[in-house]
Amino acid sequence: MTLTEERVETGTRSSARPELPWRTVVWDDPVNLMSYVAWVFRSYFGYPAPVAERLMLQVHTEGRAIVARGPRELMERHVDAMHGYGLLATVERGEAE
Amino acid sequence: MRIRRTRSGGALIDATREEAHVLRRLLDDVVALLTAPDGADPAARRLLPDAYADDPDAAAEFRELTERSVSEGKLETVRTMSASLAGTRVELDRETAVAWVRALNDARLLVATRLGIGLDAGPRPSADADSGAAGRPGAHGAAIAASVHDPALHDALDLLTWMQARMLAVIGEDL
């Protein structure tokens, strides 16, 4: 039994695609100041100012931006933190690219 | 109101009695909202939004797990600002100044929502992801269109916006 299970598990692992990373998406809203959004990206994620600025502008012009990728639990922590700052953010499953 | 940077990287605030009074009242409103969040209230939905856009079950489950801690974090920030808002001249250390920046944001979100601003903001169904953002007048506070006429509330939003922008200019450069 044990042997069979191990084989099944091994087979599953080798045939499965690696888990696609999840994403933290920040959405545009007309209230949050641009300077505040960029400051949040710097303060919380520790992004250098140019990166934070680019992401903030992407949120502003495209309506949303992916600000982090990784395991689901980590993305959920990020989204919680963004909500704490007052940004609109959601967790999203990454698609194959 | 006047906001200056202190040598230690904090902020020195000079407010009128009226401004301090308005701020305290707004912070009380945020506390009231967060203490008993009502899911039917757009302002509560804005301060405590869904974490999943296309999956109501996941959003509800996640809300169950984390809403309390998110609102408690906000409450602590707002109470930090309230506690330091004694009198009309206050000197804030850096950490307290950061709390002000965050609390001011929640107060702005609350007031803006009451004015009908940004009610349609946030995730849209992925189907219209292409058409959604570009045509909307998202202006990040620059030219926001309010649907509710309430001069006092507009004045409050102007004060909060000016303060937050000024605080960011004062403390935002170094993290």
Side-chain angles (χ1 to χ4, degrees):
Chain A
M1 290 295 277
T2 307
L3 189 62
T4 310
E5 279 179 341
E6 275 177 1
R7 275 181 186 156
V8 168
E9 198 185 338
T10 308
T12 305
R13 274 188 189 148
S14 60
S15 65
R17 293 156 63 201
E19 192 187 346
L20 295 167
W22 292 67
R23 300 160 166 177
T24 298
V25 177
V26 169
W27 301 82
D28 189 31
D29 79 82
V31 180
N32 284 332
L33 297 174
M34 295 171 82
S35 57
Y36 179 67
V37 174
W39 175 81
V40 170
F41 292 163
R42 283 192 291 144
S43 307
Y44 175 75
F45 292 108
Y47 290 145
V51 175
E53 201 75 9
R54 179 175 58 72
L55 288 170
M56 177 278 291
L57 285 172
Q58 193 182 350
V59 171
H60 181 58
T61 57
E62 297 177 23
R64 50 170 272 161
I66 296 165
V67 298
R69 298 167 197 264
R72 183 175 185 172
E73 292 72 19
L74 180 60
M75 298 304 103
E76 289 183 332
R77 275 211 297 283
H78 289 339
V79 165
D80 255 3
M82 292 300 101
H83 291 175
Y85 280 102
L87 272 56
L88 290 170
T90 53
V91 181
E92 189 177 279
R93 191 196 295 271
E95 292 153 25
E97 290 169 30
Chain B
M1 173 137 358
R2 190 170 174 197
I3 301 176
R4 283 166 288 175
R5 182 187 171 88
T6 61
R7 282 184 189 171
S8 55
L12 181 66
I13 320 269
D14 284 297
T16 65
R17 279 174 186 279
E18 174 62 20
E19 287 164 340
H21 172 73
V22 167
L23 285 174
R24 268 192 289 271
R25 196 167 44 77
L26 292 167
L27 294 176
D28 288 346
D29 288 347
V30 178
V31 169
L33 180 100
L34 290 170
T35 305
D38 173 4
D41 179 356
R45 302 293 292 185
R46 180 59 190 82
L47 267 72
L48 302 164
D50 281 337
Y52 285 87
D54 298 325
D55 187 341
D57 291 340
E61 190 183 335
F62 191 69
R63 179 178 294 277
E64 188 77 20
L65 287 171
T66 68
E67 183 175 87
R68 181 177 288 260
S69 69
V70 173
S71 59
E72 278 173 1
K74 287 176 180 288
L75 280 167
E76 195 181 323
T77 305
V78 170
R79 289 187 177 126
T80 299
M81 179 171 170
S82 294
S84 59
L85 188 59
T88 52
R89 162 170 282 209
V90 284
E91 185 171 344
L92 310 175
D93 61 21
R94 191 172 172 77
E95 194 183 339
T96 311
V98 166
W100 276 50
V101 169
R102 299 183 62 160
L104 286 168
N105 203 67
D106 278 332
R108 291 186 69 242
L109 292 173
L110 170 60
V111 172
T113 309
R114 296 276 186 256
L115 286 168
I117 301 165
L119 296 181
D120 61 344
R124 291 168 304 283
S126 25
D128 59 43
D130 291 336
S131 60
R136 293 194 310 154
H140 285 289
I144 43 188
S147 61
V148 175
H149 180 71
D150 184 332
L153 217 46
H154 277 285
D155 287 349
L157 184 58
D158 285 347
L159 174 65
L160 293 168
T161 302
W162 181 86
M163 284 184 72
Q164 195 193 28
R166 180 68 192 140
M167 291 289 290
L168 282 165
V170 163
I171 68 155
E173 287 312 309
D174 37 33
L175 285 172

